[in-house]
Amino acid sequence: MIVLGIESTCDETAASIVKNGCEVLSNVVASSADLHAKYGGVFPEHSSRRHIESIVPVVREALKIAAVTPDQIDLIAVAKGPGLVGPLLVGMQFAKGLSIAWNKPLVGINHVEAHLYAAMMDAPLLFPAIGLVLSGGHTLLVKINDVGSYERIGTTVDDAIGEAFDKVAVLLGLPYPGGPHVEALALQGAPTFPLKPGKIKNRPLDFSFSGLKTSVLYAVKGQNGKTPKELNPQEKAQLAASFQETAFQDILQKTKLALQQYPSRALYLGGGVCNNKRLKTLFGEAFPDLPIFFPAPALTLDNGAMIAGLAHHKSTASESLDLEVKTRIPLGDLV
Ligand code: KG4
Ligand code: ZN
């Protein structure tokens, strides 16, 4: 089965052709991060306009690279949410238009489920498993019973982990998106600042990153009106390393707990924060005997391949053209 996947939930306009759920024939991504870097974050209206400009060339390029013609496509898959409404609508309306014009079935895909599927695309499917989504908009621990069958066991009560990285980057004077810059700076310092991870009473598998972010704010800008001495570059590196280490140790401890509570055959991770090498090392060292699967580097950030790949596992009966985008999808309803 050949699927065209379209992704436009946030700041990437992406399209991909995937065969049989795992063979990526093309994976084209146009990011508007350059535009958002000017403002230190995503402005939905700017992002929507970029999607409108990019979607036709991106889909054309995906078909061209895959050497696939529209008549060879069996299914059109589009990210239906969660995400920003303007960006989502661009992808959805375009996918509906193609579905009518090419007379192909259409399926809506949950973007968060697709991030998790990215790690399963070229990996053995070993269930039950634990899934961990670490992205700009989501932080989620799930028990995976099968592709399409999940139980949410932990989430964040405030910031997502990628969002925390991006906000800490702003505090440290680093560009958007901040994650890779915080990682690079952290390599130059030791984690010597005493920072505490967020804990939620009676909910040991849930996350909170806003307190940690505020501790970084205080370290940079002072607390209770007191202005600290300006941090020198070495201290900034130590602060970046301390933030990263505290956040990752917290995620690691909660994942360990999840694995104790829900015996699992594997761990699958997804989302942009999976690009972080320290995260990979920590998890690799912590679970030497457990199969751990990260997405291929091209599939960690937002992309159309994870959308097209996951669609292979969904019904090919076309969804109605009434299919709506959803800015939020209850996290328990991952599908
Ligand atoms: O999965 P993604 O595209 O976001 C959502 O769908 O929400 O991931 C983007 C996030 C950003 O917050 C970015 O700062 C973070 O992933 N990120 C990283 C790294 N690379 C990207 N965070 C930490 N370390 C990295 N190397
Ligand atoms: Zn994403």
Side-chain angles (χ1 to χ4, degrees), residues 33-46:
D34 57 326
L35 182 66
H36 306 305
K38 275 193 208 161
Y39 305 98
V42 177
F43 271 63
E45 181 60 26
H46 291 167

Side-chain angles (χ1 to χ4, degrees), residues 3-335:
V3 183
L4 163 65
I6 295 175
E7 153 67 40
S8 69
T9 57
C10 187
D11 56 352
E12 271 92 22
T13 318
S16 166
I17 307 288
V18 175
K19 195 173 169 185
N20 297 333
C22 60
E23 220 182 301
V24 181
L25 304 184
S26 64
N27 185 20
V28 180
V29 182
S31 175
S32 52
D34 57 326
L35 182 66
H36 306 305
K38 275 193 208 161
Y39 305 98
V42 177
F43 271 63
E45 181 60 26
H46 291 167
S47 193
S48 305
R49 288 171 191 220
R50 270 288 175 94
H51 284 300
I52 290 170
E53 285 166 18
S54 304
I55 192 127
V56 171
V58 163
V59 171
R60 277 216 173 106
E61 186 75 0
L63 289 167
K64 194 173 152 201
I65 292 172
V68 159
T69 53
D71 54 297
Q72 291 172 286
I73 288 174
D74 298 299
L75 179 66
I76 297 169
V78 61
K80 65 181 176 187
L84 303 169
V85 69
L88 277 167
L89 280 169
V90 177
M92 178 60 80
Q93 298 311 105
F94 190 75
K96 284 181 180 175
L98 279 187
S99 164
I100 297 167
W102 293 349
N103 194 24
K104 302 289 177 186
L106 173 74
V107 64
I109 296 292
N110 180 317
H111 174 88
V112 180
E113 185 191 5
H115 267 306
L116 212 46
Y117 181 74
M120 301 177 198
M121 263 177 102
D122 58 357
L125 298 179
L126 304 170
F127 301 131
I130 293 294
L132 181 57
V133 180
L134 302 173
S135 77
H138 306 277
T139 309
L140 197 60
L141 260 173
V142 292
K143 179 171 175 273
I144 311 175
N145 302 316
D146 202 347
V147 178
S149 169
Y150 317 89
E151 291 164 55
R152 175 167 64 95
I153 54 176
T155 188
T156 176
V157 298
D158 40 55
D159 290 347
I161 177 66
E163 188 182 357
F165 264 91
D166 294 339
K167 289 177 176 171
V168 163
V170 172
L171 294 172
L172 293 170
L174 300 169
Y176 174 88
H181 298 284
V182 173
E183 176 179 16
L185 185 60
L187 283 174
Q188 296 165 35
T192 48
F193 275 79
L195 302 177
K196 283 204 191 97
K199 283 199 171 58
I200 296 103
K201 207 175 167 196
N202 300 327
R203 290 159 64 184
L205 295 180
D206 282 339
F207 302 91
S208 165
F209 297 109
S210 73
L212 182 56
K213 182 190 65 192
T214 306
S215 302
V216 175
L217 172 79
Y218 288 159
V220 176
K221 298 206 168 155
Q223 195 174 355
N224 304 329
K226 283 187 212 144
T227 312
K229 71 176 178 66
E230 180 119 338
L231 294 185
N232 65 37
Q234 186 55 31
E235 287 166 333
K236 280 192 178 174
Q238 287 166 342
L239 189 54
S242 306
F243 161 76
Q244 177 175 278
E245 200 63 19
T246 307
F248 286 168
Q249 288 291 351
D250 179 42
I251 293 169
L252 180 62
Q253 296 317 319
K254 286 169 182 167
T255 308
K256 275 187 183 163
L257 196 58
L259 286 160
Q260 279 164 16
Q261 285 184 17
Y262 305 95
S264 299
R265 295 178 63 206
L267 174 64
Y268 296 91
L269 291 96
V273 181
C274 292
N275 278 322
N276 191 293
K277 293 198 179 61
R278 178 66 189 145
L279 177 86
K280 285 188 171 170
T281 307
L282 267 183
F283 272 72
E285 286 172 0
F287 308 110
D289 301 324
L290 183 76
I292 303 181
F293 302 104
F294 285 90
L299 305 186
T300 51
L301 294 167
D302 292 349
N303 65 85
M306 64 185 191
I307 305 294
L310 178 57
H312 179 83
H313 298 266
K314 305 288 174 184
S315 162
T316 52
S318 189
E319 295 205 48
S320 148
L321 289 175
D322 293 338
L323 177 64
E324 284 184 3
V325 299
K326 289 185 178 170
T327 53
R328 286 169 175 269
I329 301 181
L331 293 171
D333 306 342
L334 204 54
V335 289

